[in-house]
Amino acid sequence: EKEHVLETPSRSTMCVRAPLMVASHSVRRRPRKVKGKLNGIQQSRKTVSDNCNNARESSKRIARTHDLCEGQDVELVCIALAYGGKGVCRLEDSGFVVFCEHALPGEKLVARIDAVKKKFAEAHKVSTIVPHDDLVEAPCAHFGTCGGCNFQNLEYSAQLKFKEEQVMQLFSRLACVPDARRVVRPIVAADLLYSYRNNMQFAFGPLGQPALGLKRSGRQDDVVDVATCPLQSDVANRVLEAVRHLAPPGGELAQRAQLRRCMIRASNQDEESVMVVLESEVDAPKELRQLAADVVQAVPEVVSVINLVEAGGKVHVLYGASTLEMTMGGRRFNVSAKSFFQTNTSQGNRLVEVMEAACRLKGDKSEVVLDLFCGVGLLGIALADKCHEVYGVELVEDAVVNAQANAQLNGLDNCHFFQGDLGKVAASLGQRMPAPDIVVVDPNRAGFPRALTAFLRRLAPRRIVYVSCNPSTQARDIKDMCSPANDQSGEGVDTNLIEIDPSVGITRGLYELVSVTPVDMFPHTSHIETVAVLELASDH
């Protein structure tokens, strides 16, 4: 029995063990445990069930992983990219998996181990031995240490390929879509690869670290001092330089006002105008008014300076207006300091186009649209000309005020915006409006609250257009929305109960997933925006 198991090259032969377990037709005995190699193989079979042929090698491999320790330098080969942008690497001698910051496919590198887990380790890159397949020169002096970008040295077409593949894998694995290639559309590439961000937030270093910049790669407690950032405009970089000069990090003013962050929001219009938001730990408008005046004098494009106080959330207008006018999707929007707005103006226009096409409005102004997580009204207002009415719901009160004002700014009288927590969907929400034909949702990275999933399933609009900045939570939510019609819990169901149509590769249930379109809103980063379309199944 021992020799038979050890020498069998076939998995199927190893699994058929009944004849070896019977001594005769009349006497059945439990097989004797064999010490040594057999026990090692049995343990390896449990650990590496998909590769019985390599059982002995796997056993040695697992034993060797315990030799890894934090701070150890190891040679790795990067074979792929994981969602989030880390390189999937392997130790050359054992194949043990290590996730490494800034490692790219095809690269051979030296990495330093940061953490050792049971089945993998985490590391950061120290040096490159052999460059990766699509190497380009990163233009930013801070690349590699700053956590803002992780793909500047990866050719852009390779970035797009990676993001498209990531979306396919996420929907295949998390949404249980059998053939994601039939559902995921080609990614919408960006025209601007640099100077595309209209909003960036820079952190003041902690006490004893005089820095103003972005968080260090892999570290949230450390700040890289950034002089300029190629992702924002020249005007925004001039503002960053002025704030650094007028309120030096670690200097008297920065410490007295307890400055924590500086947000720079630029209109990216022909005549660029800028809002500067100084976030402080304490209420300090008096200390910051002179700073605001000096910044405006240094950079005349600054039209608004705001002090946002962390403790209590107070907002002090130090100079100019409380909002900044932005343009997107052919509409005008006033945006306040606390309100979210798409951070890439050029690609934001493309995103609005993709969303509008996904809604497939009839154009006869007969349809009602519900815009959830509506923010300042960007998506709902973009649709208002083609539908009967738009109803928007948003948690942030300042954003709701902006949305109401933006409807008036664009001459629209068919838009209605309400403040509400979509994590606690109230029954009264359905009483404020007629039943919607189309629902547009654009949640934060956390995706749908469970209560919202159950609410939408009961509401059952004929089409849902789901805009997401996190396709992993989007795939999870879509799996729940596509579960059978008799499951109203919103808690998810056994995937064996979901009907799969192999001819089209789409999950079928209460809703059918029609398409997913990735939009590259953030070149040189691992972030992906996606627009998914769900349609009510024809038999519901």
Side-chain angles (χ1 to χ4, degrees):
E1 178 181 352
K2 177 180 178 181
E3 291 179 354
H4 179 80
V5 174
L6 287 175
E7 295 176 2
T8 297
S10 167
R11 176 181 174 90
S12 60
T13 308
M14 291 177 69
C15 295
V16 181
R17 300 175 58 192
L20 299 175
M21 296 171 64
V22 180
S24 68
H25 293 291
S26 58
V27 179
R28 301 179 68 89
R29 294 185 303 178
R30 187 173 183 178
R32 175 175 57 86
K33 289 185 178 180
V34 181
K35 296 181 180 180
K37 293 183 178 179
L38 179 58
N39 282 349
I41 291 175
Q42 289 172 334
Q43 182 62 36
S44 298
R45 186 182 299 133
K46 295 177 182 177
T47 308
V48 193
S49 61
D50 61 338
N51 195 355
C52 290
N53 290 335
N54 296 323
R56 281 171 291 185
E57 289 77 9
S58 298
S59 180
K60 294 176 183 178
R61 178 195 315 160
I62 293 167
R64 277 197 295 267
T65 64
H66 296 297
D67 296 334
L68 290 177
C69 59
E70 293 183 12
Q72 178 182 352
D73 288 354
V74 294
E75 287 190 8
L76 301 173
V77 175
C78 184
I79 59 172
L81 286 170
Y83 178 65
K86 288 186 178 181
V88 181
C89 305
R90 292 190 184 275
L91 292 170
E92 283 195 284
D93 57 347
S94 67
F96 185 67
V97 173
V98 179
F99 293 100
C100 183
E101 294 275 1
H102 296 296
L104 294 168
E107 182 177 14
K108 185 176 181 180
L109 64 146
V110 175
R112 187 159 297 155
I113 301 296
D114 295 322
V116 181
K117 311 293 183 180
K118 184 176 181 180
K119 295 183 179 180
F120 64 90
E122 296 175 345
H124 65 274
K125 184 165 72 172
V126 175
S127 61
T128 297
I129 301 172
V130 178
H132 60 84
D133 300 333
D134 299 287
L135 179 67
V136 294
E137 185 175 354
C140 181
H142 306 292
F143 177 74
T145 55
C146 170
C149 297
N150 47 357
F151 290 157
Q152 274 194 23
N153 62 341
L154 182 63
E155 204 274 327
Y156 186 58
S157 63
Q159 295 181 33
L160 295 176
K161 182 180 178 182
F162 154 69
K163 293 182 179 185
E164 202 171 277
E165 287 290 335
Q166 284 292 296
V167 173
M168 290 181 189
Q169 291 176 20
L170 288 169
F171 275 82
S172 177
R173 181 166 51 89
L174 299 180
C176 301
V177 178
D179 187 1
R181 292 184 183 276
R182 291 180 178 266
V183 178
V184 178
R185 304 289 185 257
I187 190 169
V188 179
D191 294 327
L192 285 176
L193 301 187
Y194 292 98
S195 302
Y196 63 80
R197 287 195 66 109
N198 61 40
N199 184 357
M200 289 198 69
Q201 185 170 267
F202 299 91
F204 284 84
L207 191 64
Q209 185 189 7
L212 176 60
L214 299 171
K215 295 297 178 67
R216 187 174 298 276
S217 179
R219 296 275 301 274
Q220 291 298 308
D221 58 345
D222 195 8
V223 176
V224 177
D225 198 41
V226 173
T228 62
C229 177
L231 299 189
Q232 67 177 3
S233 68
D234 290 339
V235 172
N237 278 320
R238 283 166 46 209
V239 172
L240 178 63
E241 181 183 5
V243 172
R244 182 194 311 279
H245 175 71
L246 296 168
E252 181 182 353
L253 176 58
Q255 291 191 40
R256 191 167 68 248
Q258 295 186 37
L259 290 174
R260 294 294 177 258
R261 282 168 289 277
C262 173
M263 185 185 81
I264 303 171
R265 174 173 274 161
S267 65
N268 278 4
Q269 297 170 345
D270 293 337
E271 295 182 5
E272 190 168 28
S273 53
V274 179
M275 169 187 281
V276 181
V277 180
L278 300 168
E279 297 186 36
S280 60
E281 186 74 24
V282 297
D283 204 343
K286 292 182 181 179
E287 289 83 351
L288 297 177
R289 287 194 188 280
Q290 186 58 50
L291 172 60
D294 293 341
V295 170
V296 172
Q297 185 174 7
V299 187
E301 290 88 345
V302 174
V303 297
S304 173
V305 182
I306 307 293
N307 174 213
L308 184 59
V309 184
E310 285 189 351
K314 290 183 180 179
V315 177
H316 300 289
V317 179
L318 305 177
Y319 175 84
S322 61
T323 61
L324 180 69
E325 184 173 309
M326 311 284 288
T327 302
M328 192 170 290
R331 298 289 191 179
R332 298 159 62 197
F333 299 90
N334 283 323
V335 183
S336 62
K338 288 185 177 181
S339 298
F340 170 78
F341 196 74
Q342 290 292 343
T343 57
N344 184 334
T345 303
S346 175
Q347 281 298 89
N349 292 324
R350 307 283 291 278
L351 180 70
V352 170
E353 291 173 2
V354 172
M355 180 277 306
E356 187 174 340
C359 288
R360 293 171 54 197
L361 292 169
K362 296 175 183 177
D364 60 359
K365 302 200 72 171
S366 64
E367 296 158 298
V368 174
V369 172
L370 174 59
D371 182 8
L372 301 180
F373 307 95
C374 66
V376 298
L378 171 64
L379 302 183
I381 286 175
L383 300 171
D385 275 347
K386 299 178 181 65
C387 62
H388 179 57
E389 287 183 301
V390 172
Y391 292 86
V393 184
E394 166 63 40
L395 175 63
V396 179
E397 187 175 357
D398 284 17
V400 175
V401 173
N402 291 160
Q404 293 167 341
N406 290 332
Q408 296 179 0
L409 181 65
N410 289 279
L412 301 169
D413 58 5
N414 63 339
C415 296
H416 318 276
F417 297 101
F418 307 100
Q419 194 273 338
D421 185 352
L422 289 167
K424 304 172 183 176
V425 179
S428 61
L429 179 59
Q431 300 170 5
R432 295 188 183 185
M433 61 183 184
D437 301 287
I438 296 166
V439 174
V440 177
V441 289
D442 186 8
N444 58 21
R445 294 185 60 80
F448 285 2
R450 288 298 187 186
L452 180 60
T453 302
F455 171 77
L456 288 175
R457 287 171 61 85
R458 290 193 300 271
L459 191 64
R462 77 167 187 270
R463 185 174 299 115
I464 298 174
V465 177
Y466 188 159
V467 181
S468 173
C469 59
N470 186 353
S472 63
T473 54
Q474 183 188 44
R476 175 205 67 197
D477 296 337
I478 286 175
K479 176 186 171 185
D480 288 345
M481 292 301 299
C482 290
S483 63
N486 59 0
D487 179 62
Q488 296 292 331
S489 66
E491 297 294 332
V493 295
D494 185 345
T495 56
N496 292 325
L497 298 178
I498 299 177
E499 177 190 351
I500 302 297
D501 183 347
S503 65
V504 295
I506 296 177
T507 303
R508 301 173 64 89
L510 179 62
Y511 278 90
E512 298 177 12
L513 175 60
V514 176
S515 65
V516 181
T517 304
V519 181
D520 188 21
M521 297 288 289
F522 310 102
H524 311 303
T525 78
S526 59
H527 299 296
I528 317 169
E529 197 94 4
T530 45
V531 180
V533 180
L534 296 171
E535 291 194 350
L536 194 65
S538 56
D539 53 347
H540 296 294

